[in-house]
């Protein structure tokens, strides 16, 4: 979650073990706070986050910058704060 870009949801793809080399990509141009990330069975990132609803972004590639699928999991009221996800 990056406040400098109006709260865009971003992901960093590390290029080495200590992540001193990394690329940062925008997953969603809508605010996404209280994030949690895991790898799916396809080894692509899956991110749960709060945006007035509980949402999940399934990345379309390792960098999470192409063909991402974003799904609103629960939209009933204000839900999804403090998300946690595992595979």
């Amino acid at each position: 979650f990056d406040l400098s870009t109006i709260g865009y949801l971003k992901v960093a793809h590390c290029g080495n073990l200590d992540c001193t080399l990394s690329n940062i990509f925008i997953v969603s141009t809508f605010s996404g706070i209280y994030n949690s990330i895991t790898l799916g069975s396809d080894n692509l990132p899956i991110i749960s986050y709060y945006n007035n609803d509980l949402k999940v972004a399934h990345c379309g590639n390792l960098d999470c910058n192409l063909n991402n699928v974003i799904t609103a999991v629960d939209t009933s009221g204000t839900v999804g704060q403090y998300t946690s996800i595992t595979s």
Side-chain angles (χ1 to χ4, degrees):
F1 174 70
D2 184 358
L3 284 175
S4 68
T5 52
I6 315 171
Y8 288 179
L9 177 64
K10 296 181 176 183
V11 66
H13 186 171
C14 297
N16 57 12
L17 288 177
D18 59 3
C19 211
T20 55
L21 300 173
S22 66
N23 291 308
I24 298 174
F25 299 98
I26 295 172
V27 177
S28 174
T29 56
F30 296 99
S31 171
I33 59 176
Y34 307 118
N35 311 308
S36 182
I37 190 168
T38 190
L39 290 178
S41 59
D42 56 2
N43 287 321
L44 294 177
I46 300 173
I47 305 165
S48 65
Y49 63 100
Y50 169 74
N51 176 281
N52 294 322
D53 297 319
L54 174 59
K55 293 188 178 179
V56 172
H58 187 170
C59 297
N61 62 3
L62 284 176
D63 292 329
C64 225
N65 65 348
L66 184 65
N67 299 321
N68 299 334
V69 176
I70 297 176
T71 304
V73 178
D74 192 348
T75 61
S76 180
T78 303
V79 294
Q81 294 179 353
Y82 312 105
T83 67
S84 181
I85 192 169
T86 186
S87 58

